[in-house]
Coordinates of all heavy atoms in Angstrom, one line a residue:
M1 N -48.6 26.2 44.9 CA -47.3 26.6 45.0 C -46.6 26.9 43.7 O -46.9 26.2 42.7 CB -46.5 25.5 45.7 CG -45.1 25.8 46.0 SD -44.4 24.5 47.0 CE -43.3 25.4 47.9
A2 N -45.8 28.0 43.7 CA -45.2 28.4 42.4 C -44.1 27.5 42.0 O -43.4 26.9 42.8 CB -44.6 29.8 42.6
K3 N -43.9 27.3 40.7 CA -42.9 26.5 40.1 C -41.6 27.3 40.0 O -41.6 28.5 39.8 CB -43.3 26.0 38.8 CG -44.4 24.9 38.8 CD -44.9 24.6 37.4 CE -43.8 24.0 36.6 NZ -44.3 23.5 35.2
T4 N -40.5 26.6 40.2 CA -39.2 27.3 40.0 C -39.0 27.6 38.6 O -39.2 26.7 37.7 CB -38.1 26.4 40.6 OG1 -38.4 26.1 41.9 CG2 -36.7 27.1 40.5
N5 N -38.5 28.7 38.3 CA -38.2 29.1 36.9 C -36.8 28.7 36.5 O -35.8 29.5 36.7 CB -38.4 30.6 36.7 CG -38.3 31.0 35.3 OD1 -38.0 30.2 34.4 ND2 -38.6 32.3 35.0
F6 N -36.6 27.4 36.1 CA -35.3 26.9 35.8 C -34.6 27.6 34.6 O -33.4 27.7 34.6 CB -35.4 25.4 35.5 CG -35.7 24.6 36.8 CD1 -36.9 24.0 36.9 CD2 -34.8 24.5 37.8 CE1 -37.2 23.3 38.1 CE2 -35.0 23.8 38.9 CZ -36.3 23.2 39.1
Q7 N -35.4 28.0 33.7 CA -34.8 28.7 32.5 C -34.2 30.0 32.9 O -33.1 30.4 32.4 CB -35.9 29.0 31.5 CG -36.4 27.8 30.7 CD -37.5 28.1 29.7 OE1 -38.1 29.1 29.8 NE2 -37.6 27.1 28.8
Y8 N -34.8 30.7 33.9 CA -34.2 32.0 34.4 C -32.9 31.7 35.1 O -31.9 32.4 34.8 CB -35.2 32.7 35.3 CG -34.6 33.9 36.0 CD1 -34.5 35.1 35.3 CD2 -34.1 33.9 37.3 CE1 -33.9 36.2 35.9 CE2 -33.5 35.0 37.9 CZ -33.4 36.2 37.2 OH -32.9 37.3 37.7
E9 N -32.9 30.7 35.9 CA -31.6 30.3 36.6 C -30.5 29.9 35.7 O -29.4 30.3 35.8 CB -31.9 29.2 37.6 CG -32.8 29.6 38.8 CD -33.2 28.5 39.7 OE1 -32.7 27.4 39.5 OE2 -34.0 28.7 40.6
K10 N -30.9 29.1 34.7 CA -29.9 28.7 33.7 C -29.3 29.8 32.9 O -28.1 29.9 32.7 CB -30.6 27.7 32.7 CG -29.6 27.1 31.7 CD -30.3 26.1 30.8 CE -29.3 25.6 29.8 NZ -29.9 24.6 28.8
R11 N -30.2 30.8 32.5 CA -29.7 32.0 31.8 C -28.8 32.8 32.7 O -27.8 33.3 32.2 CB -30.9 32.8 31.4 CG -30.6 34.1 30.6 CD -30.0 33.8 29.3 NE -29.7 35.0 28.6 CZ -28.6 35.2 27.8 NH1 -27.8 34.2 27.5 NH2 -28.4 36.3 27.2
Q12 N -29.1 32.9 34.0 CA -28.2 33.7 34.9 C -26.9 33.0 35.0 O -25.8 33.7 35.0 CB -28.9 33.8 36.2 CG -30.1 34.7 36.2 CD -29.9 36.1 35.7 OE1 -29.0 36.8 36.1 NE2 -30.7 36.4 34.7
K13 N -26.8 31.7 35.1 CA -25.6 30.9 35.1 C -24.8 31.1 33.8 O -23.6 31.3 33.9 CB -25.8 29.5 35.4 CG -26.2 29.1 36.8 CD -26.4 27.6 36.9 CE -26.9 27.3 38.3 NZ -27.1 25.8 38.5
E14 N -25.5 31.1 32.7 CA -24.8 31.3 31.4 C -24.2 32.7 31.3 O -23.1 32.9 30.9 CB -25.8 31.1 30.3 CG -26.2 29.6 30.1 CD -27.3 29.4 29.0 OE1 -27.8 30.5 28.5 OE2 -27.6 28.3 28.7
L15 N -25.0 33.7 31.8 CA -24.5 35.1 31.8 C -23.2 35.2 32.7 O -22.3 35.9 32.3 CB -25.6 36.0 32.2 CG -26.7 36.2 31.2 CD1 -27.8 37.1 31.8 CD2 -26.2 36.8 29.9
E16 N -23.3 34.6 33.8 CA -22.1 34.7 34.8 C -20.9 34.0 34.2 O -19.8 34.5 34.3 CB -22.5 34.0 36.1 CG -21.5 34.2 37.2 CD -21.3 35.6 37.6 OE1 -22.2 36.4 37.5 OE2 -20.1 35.9 38.0
K17 N -21.1 32.8 33.5 CA -20.0 32.2 32.9 C -19.4 33.0 31.8 O -18.2 33.1 31.6 CB -20.4 30.8 32.2 CG -20.5 29.7 33.1 CD -20.9 28.4 32.3 CE -20.8 27.2 33.1 NZ -21.1 26.0 32.3
K18 N -20.2 33.6 31.0 CA -19.8 34.5 29.9 C -19.0 35.7 30.4 O -18.0 36.1 29.9 CB -21.0 35.0 29.1 CG -20.6 35.8 27.8 CD -21.9 36.1 27.0 CE -21.5 37.0 25.8 NZ -22.7 37.4 25.1
K19 N -19.5 36.3 31.5 CA -18.9 37.4 32.1 C -17.5 37.0 32.6 O -16.5 37.8 32.4 CB -19.7 38.0 33.3 CG -19.2 39.2 34.0 CD -20.1 39.6 35.1 CE -19.6 40.8 35.9 NZ -20.5 41.1 37.0
K20 N -17.4 35.9 33.3 CA -16.1 35.4 33.8 C -15.1 35.1 32.7 O -13.9 35.4 32.8 CB -16.3 34.2 34.7 CG -16.8 34.5 36.0 CD -16.9 33.2 36.9 CE -17.5 33.5 38.2 NZ -17.5 32.3 39.1
A21 N -15.6 34.5 31.6 CA -14.8 34.2 30.4 C -14.2 35.5 29.8 O -13.0 35.6 29.4 CB -15.5 33.4 29.4
E22 N -15.1 36.5 29.7 CA -14.6 37.8 29.1 C -13.6 38.4 30.0 O -12.6 39.0 29.5 CB -15.8 38.7 28.9 CG -16.7 38.3 27.8 CD -18.0 39.1 27.7 OE1 -18.3 39.9 28.5 OE2 -18.7 38.9 26.7
E23 N -13.8 38.4 31.3 CA -12.9 39.0 32.2 C -11.5 38.3 32.1 O -10.5 38.9 32.1 CB -13.4 38.9 33.7 CG -12.5 39.5 34.7 CD -12.3 41.0 34.6 OE1 -13.2 41.6 34.0 OE2 -11.3 41.5 35.1
K24 N -11.5 37.0 32.1 CA -10.3 36.2 32.0 C -9.6 36.5 30.7 O -8.4 36.7 30.7 CB -10.6 34.7 32.0 CG -9.4 33.8 32.0 CD -9.8 32.4 32.2 CE -8.6 31.5 32.2 NZ -8.9 30.0 32.3
A25 N -10.3 36.6 29.6 CA -9.7 36.9 28.3 C -9.1 38.3 28.3 O -8.0 38.6 27.8 CB -10.8 36.8 27.2
R26 N -9.8 39.3 29.0 CA -9.3 40.6 29.1 C -8.0 40.7 29.9 O -7.0 41.3 29.5 CB -10.3 41.5 29.7 CG -9.9 43.0 29.8 CD -10.9 43.9 30.6 NE -11.0 43.5 31.9 CZ -10.1 43.8 32.9 NH1 -9.0 44.5 32.6 NH2 -10.3 43.4 34.1
R27 N -7.9 39.9 31.0 CA -6.7 39.9 31.9 C -5.6 39.2 31.1 O -4.4 39.7 31.2 CB -7.0 39.1 33.2 CG -7.8 39.9 34.2 CD -7.9 39.1 35.4 NE -8.4 37.8 35.1 CZ -9.1 37.0 35.9 NH1 -9.4 37.4 37.1 NH2 -9.5 35.9 35.5
K28 N -5.9 38.2 30.4 CA -4.9 37.5 29.6 C -4.3 38.4 28.5 O -3.1 38.4 28.3 CB -5.5 36.2 28.9 CG -4.5 35.2 28.4 CD -5.2 34.0 28.0 CE -4.3 32.9 27.5 NZ -4.9 31.7 27.0
L29 N -5.1 39.2 27.9 CA -4.7 40.1 26.9 C -3.8 41.2 27.5 O -2.8 41.6 26.9 CB -5.9 40.7 26.1 CG -5.6 41.6 25.0 CD1 -4.8 40.9 23.9 CD2 -6.8 42.2 24.4
E30 N -4.2 41.7 28.6 CA -3.4 42.7 29.3 C -2.1 42.2 29.7 O -1.1 42.8 29.6 CB -4.2 43.2 30.5 CG -5.3 44.2 30.2 CD -6.0 44.7 31.5 OE1 -5.6 44.3 32.6 OE2 -7.0 45.4 31.3
A31 N -2.0 40.9 30.2 CA -0.8 40.3 30.6 C 0.1 40.1 29.4 O 1.3 40.3 29.5 CB -1.1 39.0 31.3
K32 N -0.5 39.8 28.3 CA 0.3 39.6 27.1 C 0.9 40.9 26.6 O 2.1 41.0 26.2 CB -0.6 39.0 26.0 CG 0.1 38.7 24.7 CD -0.8 38.1 23.6 CE -0.1 37.9 22.3 NZ -1.0 37.4 21.3
N33 N 0.1 42.0 26.7 CA 0.6 43.3 26.3 C 1.5 44.0 27.3 O 2.3 44.8 26.9 CB -0.6 44.2 26.0 CG -1.4 43.8 24.8 OD1 -0.9 43.1 23.9 ND2 -2.7 44.2 24.7
N34 N 1.4 43.7 28.5 CA 2.2 44.3 29.6 C 2.9 43.2 30.4 O 2.4 42.9 31.5 CB 1.3 45.1 30.5 CG 0.6 46.2 29.7 OD1 1.2 46.8 28.9 ND2 -0.6 46.5 30.1
P35 N 3.9 42.5 29.9 CA 4.5 41.4 30.7 C 5.1 41.9 32.0 O 5.6 43.1 32.1 CB 5.6 40.9 29.7 CG 5.9 42.0 28.8 CD 4.6 42.8 28.7
K36 N 5.2 41.0 33.0 CA 5.8 41.4 34.3 C 7.3 41.3 34.2 O 7.8 40.7 33.3 CB 5.3 40.3 35.3 CG 3.9 40.4 35.7 CD 3.6 39.4 36.8 CE 2.1 39.4 37.1 NZ 1.8 38.4 38.2
P37 N 8.0 42.0 35.1 CA 9.4 42.0 35.1 C 9.9 40.5 35.4 O 9.2 39.7 36.0 CB 9.8 42.9 36.2 CG 8.6 43.7 36.5 CD 7.4 43.0 36.0
A38 N 11.1 40.2 34.9 CA 11.6 38.9 35.0 C 11.9 38.5 36.5 O 11.9 37.3 36.8 CB 12.9 38.7 34.2
D39 N 12.1 39.5 37.4 CA 12.4 39.1 38.8 C 11.2 38.7 39.6 O 11.3 38.3 40.7 CB 13.1 40.3 39.5 CG 12.2 41.5 39.6 OD1 11.1 41.5 39.0 OD2 12.7 42.5 40.2
G40 N 10.0 38.8 39.0 CA 8.8 38.3 39.6 C 8.1 39.3 40.5 O 7.1 39.1 41.0
S41 N 8.7 40.5 40.6 CA 8.1 41.5 41.4 C 7.0 42.2 40.6 O 6.9 42.1 39.4 CB 9.1 42.6 41.9 OG 9.6 43.3 40.7
E42 N 6.1 42.8 41.3 CA 5.0 43.5 40.7 C 5.5 44.7 39.9 O 6.4 45.4 40.4 CB 4.0 44.0 41.8 CG 2.7 44.5 41.2 CD 1.9 43.3 40.6 OE1 2.0 42.2 41.0 OE2 1.1 43.7 39.7
G43 N 5.0 45.0 38.7 CA 5.4 46.0 37.9 C 5.1 47.4 38.4 O 5.9 48.3 38.3
D44 N 3.9 47.6 39.1 CA 3.5 48.8 39.6 C 4.0 48.9 41.0 O 3.5 48.2 41.9 CB 2.0 49.0 39.5 CG 1.5 49.0 38.1 OD1 2.3 49.4 37.2 OD2 0.3 48.6 37.9
E45 N 4.8 49.9 41.3 CA 5.3 50.1 42.7 C 4.4 51.1 43.4 O 3.9 52.1 42.7 CB 6.7 50.5 42.7 CG 7.6 49.5 42.1 CD 9.0 49.5 42.8 OE1 9.2 50.2 43.8 OE2 9.8 48.7 42.3
P46 N 4.1 51.0 44.6 CA 3.2 51.9 45.3 C 3.9 53.3 45.4 O 5.1 53.4 45.4 CB 3.0 51.3 46.7 CG 4.1 50.4 46.9 CD 4.5 49.9 45.5
E47 N 3.1 54.3 45.3 CA 3.6 55.7 45.4 C 4.2 55.9 46.8 O 3.7 55.5 47.8 CB 2.4 56.7 45.2 CG 1.8 56.6 43.8 CD 2.7 57.2 42.7 OE1 3.5 58.1 43.1 OE2 2.7 56.7 41.6
A48 N 5.3 56.6 46.8 CA 6.0 56.9 48.1 C 5.3 58.2 48.7 O 4.8 59.0 48.0 CB 7.5 57.2 47.8
D49 N 5.2 58.2 50.0 CA 4.7 59.4 50.7 C 5.7 60.5 50.5 O 6.8 60.4 50.2 CB 4.5 59.1 52.2 CG 3.4 58.1 52.4 OD1 2.6 57.9 51.6 OD2 3.5 57.4 53.5
D50 N 5.1 61.8 50.6 CA 6.0 62.9 50.5 C 7.1 62.9 51.5 O 8.2 63.3 51.2 CB 5.1 64.2 50.6 CG 4.2 64.4 49.4 OD1 4.5 63.9 48.3 OD2 3.2 65.1 49.6
A51 N 6.9 62.5 52.7 CA 7.9 62.5 53.7 C 9.0 61.5 53.4 O 10.2 61.8 53.5 CB 7.3 62.1 55.1
D52 N 8.6 60.3 52.9 CA 9.6 59.4 52.5 C 10.4 59.9 51.3 O 11.6 59.7 51.2 CB 9.0 58.0 52.1 CG 8.4 57.3 53.3 OD1 8.8 57.6 54.4 OD2 7.5 56.4 53.1
A53 N 9.8 60.5 50.3 CA 10.4 61.1 49.2 C 11.4 62.2 49.6 O 12.5 62.2 49.0 CB 9.4 61.6 48.1
D54 N 11.0 63.0 50.5 CA 11.9 64.1 51.0 C 13.1 63.6 51.7 O 14.2 64.0 51.5 CB 11.1 65.1 51.9 CG 10.1 65.9 51.1 OD1 10.2 66.0 49.9 OD2 9.1 66.4 51.8
A55 N 12.9 62.5 52.5 CA 14.0 62.0 53.3 C 15.0 61.3 52.3 O 16.2 61.4 52.5 CB 13.5 61.0 54.3
A56 N 14.4 60.6 51.3 CA 15.3 59.9 50.4 C 16.1 60.9 49.5 O 17.2 60.7 49.2 CB 14.5 59.0 49.5
A57 N 15.4 62.0 49.2 CA 16.1 63.1 48.4 C 17.2 63.8 49.2 O 18.2 64.1 48.6 CB 15.0 64.1 47.9
D58 N 16.9 64.0 50.5 CA 17.9 64.6 51.3 C 19.1 63.7 51.6 O 20.2 64.2 52.0 CB 17.3 65.1 52.6 CG 16.3 66.3 52.3 OD1 16.4 66.9 51.3 OD2 15.4 66.5 53.2
G59 N 18.9 62.4 51.6 CA 19.9 61.5 52.0 C 20.0 61.2 53.5 O 21.0 60.6 53.9
D60 N 19.1 61.8 54.3 CA 19.2 61.6 55.7 C 19.0 60.2 56.2 O 19.7 59.6 57.0 CB 18.2 62.6 56.4 CG 18.5 64.0 56.2 OD1 19.6 64.4 55.9 OD2 17.6 64.8 56.3
A61 N 17.9 59.6 55.7 CA 17.6 58.2 56.0 C 17.0 57.5 54.8 O 16.4 58.1 54.0 CB 16.6 58.3 57.1
P62 N 17.3 56.2 54.7 CA 16.8 55.5 53.6 C 15.2 55.4 53.7 O 14.7 55.3 54.8 CB 17.4 54.1 53.7 CG 17.9 54.0 55.1 CD 18.1 55.4 55.6
A63 N 14.6 55.3 52.6 CA 13.1 55.2 52.6 C 12.8 53.8 53.1 O 13.4 52.8 52.7 CB 12.6 55.4 51.2
Q64 N 11.7 53.7 53.9 CA 11.3 52.4 54.4 C 10.3 51.8 53.4 O 9.4 52.4 53.0 CB 10.5 52.6 55.7 CG 11.4 53.2 56.8 CD 12.5 52.3 57.2 OE1 12.3 51.0 57.3 NE2 13.7 52.8 57.5
P65 N 10.6 50.5 53.1 CA 9.6 49.8 52.2 C 8.3 49.6 52.9 O 8.3 49.4 54.1 CB 10.3 48.5 51.9 CG 11.3 48.3 53.0 CD 11.7 49.6 53.5
Q66 N 7.2 49.6 52.1 CA 5.9 49.4 52.7 C 5.3 48.1 52.4 O 5.4 47.4 51.6 CB 5.0 50.5 52.2 CG 5.5 51.8 52.7 CD 4.5 52.9 52.7 OE1 3.3 52.6 52.6 NE2 4.9 54.1 52.9

């Protein structure tokens, strides 16, 4: 019966930890460089559909939030 390769498994776990740490550091840096608005809402608003934009521009009906 074959032996389990514990060194391989350990290396894979180490690589996964390193990858997660780098991702976390990247997100933290992005958050530092691009702070969120004070009201707690998301900074990026979804794009409005052309129909919603046209209705809002004409003033016929208010645009519906999505």
Side-chain angles (χ1 to χ4, degrees):
M1 182 170 212
K3 291 171 62 177
T4 304
N5 189 351
F6 290 109
Q7 289 180 337
Y8 175 79
E9 292 176 6
K10 182 177 179 181
R11 179 68 178 146
Q12 293 305 307
K13 286 181 184 180
E14 289 173 355
L15 290 173
E16 187 65 28
K17 275 185 174 180
K18 185 176 179 182
K19 182 179 175 184
K20 284 184 180 183
E22 289 173 353
E23 179 68 22
K24 184 177 180 181
R26 185 186 62 78
R27 284 184 308 208
K28 194 173 184 180
L29 184 62
E30 285 180 3
K32 183 179 177 184
N33 292 337
N34 301 320
K36 291 183 181 179
D39 62 357
S41 66
E42 191 67 30
D44 297 331
E45 297 212 5
E47 296 287 330
D49 292 337
D50 290 336
D52 290 341
D54 292 340
D58 294 337
D60 297 337
Q64 296 295 321
Q66 297 201 13

